[in-house]
Amino acid sequence: MADDKSLPKIGWVGTGVMGASMCGHLLDAGYEVTLTTRTLAKAESLLTRGATWVKTPRAVAESSDLIFTIVGYPHDVREVILASETGVLAGCKPGNVIVDMTTSQPSLAVEIAEAAARREVDSLDAPVSGGDTGAKGGTLSIMVGGSGRALTKVQPCLDLMGKTIVHQGGPGAGQHTKMVNQILIATNMIGVCEALVYGHKAGLDLPTVLQSVGSGAAGSWSLNNLGPRIIDNQFDPGFYVEHFIKDMGIALAECRAMSLSMPGLALAEQLYQAVAAQGHGRDGTHALAFAIANLSGIDWLKR
């Protein structure tokens, strides 16, 4: 590894389910990290490992060369990056790179890139897929939109967080690719949950069923990683239901703008709205099993 003094200084905003692990990989590699997050307690593990706390995203940028953000919703992205007094961009210097890893609106990614360019700052939209498991293991898929020059600057950092880093195109292309990812997951999760409910009702031993179907043509990441959690009634979030509803809303809005009909996506969004209404908005996306089982009068937790 290069001498620590030769490494760019890292800024980090957001230490949620995935962000804390992702930032931790940079600390472990010897990067100097300045961070902020709304809830100080969520940053404690990083602070004890050497990160420095500051009060605002602007202060993060003022101490950093490369600034990463991963927050909840597009309005959060707008606030932490574009707020005129306290945002990341307000603290940037020419040559800095902003990397937003939140799943957000493609149009907002373009807006941020244009605002950054006016300050001679580069901006990348780099949403991720892989959930808490991928974040902890450094095996995320990272979809990048923006300039190749900026990507070259941050590539060593991304390599610590993910195993598949692909430059998808200009500003917004990373977010559009993430929408493709979420559309794939949305309908696949319906199939996973319906199949497990069917297997349960048929009296099968579900772990034994997974041994057969998980390695065949029906196998998927969701089935093999989240299927066992559903069976074991483990619904801690790798990715929140409420955040997935946000993502599907963005995808549906983009579909309307492009005059696309997406009936499968629309159905998944409605089923997930039902999951949230049943009190599972802060559970993992595999909590869709509750809504699917409930349609047939099955209480999944008490089955």
Side-chain angles (χ1 to χ4, degrees):
M1 188 183 79
D3 184 85
D4 287 359
K5 293 182 180 179
S6 70
L7 296 174
K9 294 181 179 179
I10 301 299
W12 196 276
V13 182
T15 54
V17 171
M18 298 175 66
S21 295
M22 295 160 68
C23 183
H25 294 309
L26 300 181
L27 281 170
D28 290 343
Y31 285 91
E32 180 181 332
V33 175
T34 301
L35 64 81
T36 193
T37 188
R38 286 178 177 173
T39 306
L40 179 58
K42 291 185 177 180
E44 288 294 348
S45 65
L46 299 171
L47 298 179
T48 58
R49 291 158 65 185
T52 299
W53 167 269
V54 293
K55 291 183 178 181
T56 66
R58 176 175 182 161
V60 167
E62 289 171 343
S63 301
S64 306
D65 302 307
L66 312 176
I67 304 98
F68 296 83
T69 61
I70 180 164
V71 291
Y73 295 86
H75 64 82
D76 298 316
V77 174
R78 181 177 296 280
E79 178 183 348
V80 301
I81 295 179
L82 295 178
S84 59
E85 297 297 326
T86 60
V88 165
L89 190 54
C92 281
K93 307 168 291 294
N96 284 164
V97 182
I98 301 169
V99 187
D100 182 36
M101 308 191 80
T102 316
T103 299
S104 183
Q105 297 161 323
S107 59
L108 179 54
V110 173
E111 181 182 346
I112 291 170
E114 291 173 347
R118 290 193 289 270
R119 298 178 64 101
E120 299 181 56
V121 172
D122 283 310
S123 174
L124 298 173
D125 49 291
V128 303
S129 180
D132 62 332
T133 302
K136 291 174 183 175
T139 59
L140 294 167
S141 175
I142 306 176
M143 310 152 216
V144 185
S147 78
R149 177 188 69 248
L151 176 56
T152 298
K153 290 182 180 180
V154 304
Q155 184 80 45
C157 295
L158 298 183
D159 286 339
L160 294 170
M161 300 180 232
K163 130 178 123 167
T164 305
I165 298 99
V166 181
H167 188 202
Q168 297 292 339
Q175 297 295 354
H176 276 302
T177 304
K178 183 60 184 289
M179 292 303 106
V180 172
N181 186 86
Q182 301 306 71
I183 292 168
L184 286 163
I185 290 174
T187 48
N188 180 234
M189 279 303 303
I190 295 175
V192 168
C193 294
E194 288 186 342
L196 293 178
V197 169
Y198 176 93
H200 162 70
K201 193 68 173 180
L204 300 174
D205 179 70
L206 293 180
T208 303
V209 170
L210 288 188
Q211 290 179 25
S212 291
V213 302
S215 59
S220 67
W221 188 96
S222 293
L223 178 64
N224 292 324
N225 287 274
L226 299 180
R229 296 193 196 185
I230 294 171
I231 293 168
D232 292 339
N233 287 337
Q234 298 295 325
F235 292 99
D236 291 342
F239 188 63
Y240 291 121
V241 164
E242 61 186 28
H243 287 172
F244 196 35
I245 291 172
K246 174 262 296 182
D247 294 353
M248 288 185 285
I250 293 171
L252 287 166
E254 294 295 330
C255 289
R256 287 191 292 271
M258 293 185 283
S259 299
L260 294 175
S261 174
M262 294 284 170
L265 175 62
L267 172 61
E269 194 268 347
Q270 286 296 297
L271 289 169
Y272 271 101
Q273 291 285 5
V275 174
Q278 293 168 17
H280 301 290
R282 299 290 286 179
D283 286 337
T285 52
H286 51 302
L288 181 63
F290 291 120
I292 297 296
N294 187 58
L295 289 171
S296 297
I298 298 171
D299 184 332
W300 187 258
L301 290 176
K302 298 178 181 179
R303 69 191 189 279

